[in-house]
Amino acid sequence: MNIHERYGLTRVINARGTFTPLGVSRSSERVAKTVAQALGEFFIIEELQSLVSQAAVDLAGGEAAAVTHCVSAATTIAVAAAMAGSDPKKVAALPDASGMPDRVVLPAGHAVDYGHPNTTDIRLAGAFPVLAGSEAMCSTRDLEAALAHERTACLLLVSSRLTTGSPVDLREAVAAAHRRNVPAIIDAAAQGMRMDALLSTGADAVLFSAQKYLASPTAGLIIGRAEFVRDCRVQERGIGRAMKPTKEAILGVLAAIEDRRDLEPAAWREAQARKVAWFVDRVKHVSSVTASEVPDPSGMPFSRVRLTVRAEGEGWNAAVLAARLRSETPPIWVMEHGAGEGHLFLELVPLDDAELEVIADRLTHCAAGRSAAAPLPN
Ligand SMILES: *Cc1c(COP(=O)(O)O)cnc(C)c1O
C-alpha cells in the first residue's frame, strides 16, 4: 500500500512549481535512502555542517555554507548575523536590538509575500525593514539614500518572480552596499539552478531553499563569505535555536548536492524541453484554449506551458478552468497568478509522463464541457 492509500490522503498532480502547501518537490531515491539511514543514527552535527559547506562551495562557489531549517529561517539568521556579528552578548540579546544596527534596507519591490511577508523574517531578528524607492522602481541612487544611515545593518535583495517593478541590477546593488561597508544578502530561494550566477554578484550571503530545486528535505542553504557564514552559525546559540536543521535534513542536502553534481545539464534541459513540446502539441486541438511554451520568468533553465483561455460567454475563463482542474480527481494544481489576463501557467519539471497524460485529458474534457458549465463547488 502506498502512503496515500495507507492514510487516505489526496493524491495531487502538482503543475504549480515548488509550492510549499503541496510539499514543494520530489526527492530522488538517493536522497530518500540517505535520509532514512540518517534517522537511525547519531552524528557529530558539526561534521555534517562541514561536509555540506564543502560540497556546496564545490558546487556553487562562495567560501563557506551553512544549513538552516529553511530560507525563511535563513533570512532571519542572516539579518541577525549582520546585526550581532560574532559577539556572544549581542547574539544572546537578540531580538532585543539595543545598541545594534537594526535597519534592513530592501528595494520596495523586493518586499514580497511567499506565504507570509518577507519583512516578517526581518522583524523576527529584532530589526525593521526600510523600503527604498517605490514598488515600480528602485534606482542605485534610491538604494544609496536608504543605506546612508549609521544604523543600517544590511541590504536584503530578492531574486524571484515574486518581485515587482523594473528589475534591480543585483551586482550594482551589492556594490552600493559594499561602498558603505554594509553586508548584502540575496534571497534566492527558488533560484537553485542559478546558484553560481547569484554568488557571482559578490553578495555576502545568498540563500537557497534546498527543498525547492535541489529537491532535498526542507532546509535553507546560506552560501557566501566565510566570516559572514560563521556569524550565521553563531546564531544557533541565539534566536537560531528555533530554526535549526535536523540531522536528516543536513544529510539529505548533501545527497541532493551529489545528485546535482551528477546531473548532465544539457540532457536535463533537453528532457524538460521535450516534455513541454509534447504537452503543447498534445493539447493543440483543445477548443478555446491555446497552449504555448514560455521561458521561466526568473531565468531558470527550463520553460513553462502557458494556457491562454479565450473567455467565450458566461462561466468560462482562466479562473474557472483552474478551479475545474483542481476540483476533479486527482486534483491538478496550476499557477493562477496570470488568470486575470486569461493565462494559466504549468511547470512540468517534477511530473512524469502518466501525469502529463492526465493533465492533457482533463484539459480536453474541461474545455469540451465548458458550455454545459455546471456550478462549481467552492
Ligand atoms: C520559497 C521562498 C522562500 C521561503 O523558503 P522556505 O525555505 O520555504 O522558507 C523565501 N523567499 C522566496 C523568494 C521564496 O520563493
Side-chain angles (χ1 to χ4, degrees):
M1 225 190 226
N2 68 44
I3 197 161
H4 290 87
E5 289 164 353
R6 183 151 36 111
Y7 295 110
L9 302 171
T10 305
R11 188 177 276 287
V12 175
I13 295 182
N14 175 25
R16 192 169 167 133
T18 53
F19 187 49
T20 302
L22 295 181
V24 193
S25 60
R26 280 175 158 156
S27 297
S28 67
E29 274 294 309
R30 164 146 67 186
V31 170
K33 280 195 179 136
T34 304
V35 168
Q37 265 183 299
L39 283 166
E41 301 293 339
F42 295 110
F43 301 95
I44 293 168
I45 297 293
E46 210 45 48
E47 287 183 2
L48 305 187
Q49 284 276 12
S50 300
L51 266 176
V52 171
S53 178
Q54 193 55 56
V57 165
D58 290 347
L59 179 74
E63 296 171 359
V67 186
T68 65
H69 179 69
C70 61
V71 166
S72 179
T75 307
T76 301
I77 287 171
V79 166
M83 297 166 77
S86 57
D87 181 338
K89 284 207 186 87
K90 290 181 176 169
V91 170
L94 286 179
D96 178 344
S98 313
M100 290 180 234
D102 59 357
R103 301 169 79 253
V104 174
V105 173
L106 70 162
H110 289 205
V112 299
D113 189 320
Y114 56 78
H116 83 167
N118 64 345
T119 48
T120 298
D121 300 321
I122 294 169
R123 292 184 209 277
L124 266 172
F128 63 93
V130 175
L131 302 185
S134 69
E135 271 188 30
M137 171 78 197
C138 177
S139 65
T140 305
R141 254 231 186 104
D142 293 329
L143 276 180
E144 274 166 349
L147 288 163
H149 192 295
E150 58 179 19
R151 274 170 52 204
T152 300
C154 61
L155 170 68
L156 177 65
L157 301 163
V158 179
S159 175
S160 162
R161 69 180 167 83
L162 298 172
T163 59
T164 51
S166 1
V168 170
D169 184 316
L170 298 180
R171 195 182 291 270
E172 253 184 50
V174 169
H178 287 174
R179 280 196 294 278
R180 292 237 156 227
N181 278 325
V182 167
I185 301 158
I186 302 178
D187 168 0
Q191 295 280 285
M193 304 197 85
R194 300 182 59 234
M195 297 169 96
D196 45 357
L198 285 147
L199 280 155
S200 76
T201 58
D204 297 79
V206 186
L207 320 177
F208 301 99
S209 266
Q211 76 272 21
K212 288 184 175 172
Y213 290 98
L214 276 172
S216 81
T218 296
L221 257 180
I222 302 176
I223 312 182
R225 223 162 34 77
E227 195 185 341
F228 193 83
V229 171
R230 190 202 62 206
D231 291 348
C232 289
R233 291 290 316 280
V234 176
Q235 287 296 325
E236 287 167 18
R237 284 177 238 143
I239 58 173
R241 173 73 192 189
M243 306 171 187
K244 63 186 170 298
T246 58
K247 60 185 175 182
E248 67 275 16
I250 306 174
L251 279 159
V253 171
L254 188 63
I257 289 174
E258 288 168 358
D259 276 345
R260 176 63 63 80
R261 210 185 284 149
D262 293 350
L263 188 78
E264 180 41 68
W268 186 87
R269 282 198 299 268
E270 209 180 292
Q272 303 312 318
R274 257 204 313 275
K275 277 201 267 189
V276 171
W278 177 89
F279 188 89
V280 167
D281 183 63
R282 174 76 165 63
V283 302
K284 68 178 176 224
H285 296 305
V286 172
S287 55
S288 84
V289 176
T290 308
S292 49
E293 175 183 342
V294 291
D296 174 80
S298 64
M300 291 281 272
F302 53 79
S303 299
R304 291 169 170 177
V305 174
R306 182 179 64 199
L307 300 178
T308 305
V309 181
R310 286 187 299 283
E312 291 165 350
E314 288 288 302
W316 180 251
N317 56 39
V320 169
L321 174 58
R324 289 267 172 89
L325 291 171
R326 202 169 56 231
S327 65
E328 288 177 40
T329 305
I332 296 166
W333 289 63
V334 302
M335 296 176 187
E336 293 170 50
H337 58 278
E341 292 83 55
H343 302 303
L344 300 177
F345 295 89
L346 281 70
E347 186 171 309
L348 307 183
V349 172
L351 301 180
D352 62 30
D353 293 350
E355 289 171 316
L356 298 188
E357 284 282 0
V358 172
I359 302 174
D361 285 347
R362 176 83 53 84
L363 188 61
T364 309
H365 167 81
C366 287
R370 72 188 186 283
S371 51
L376 280 167
N378 294 328

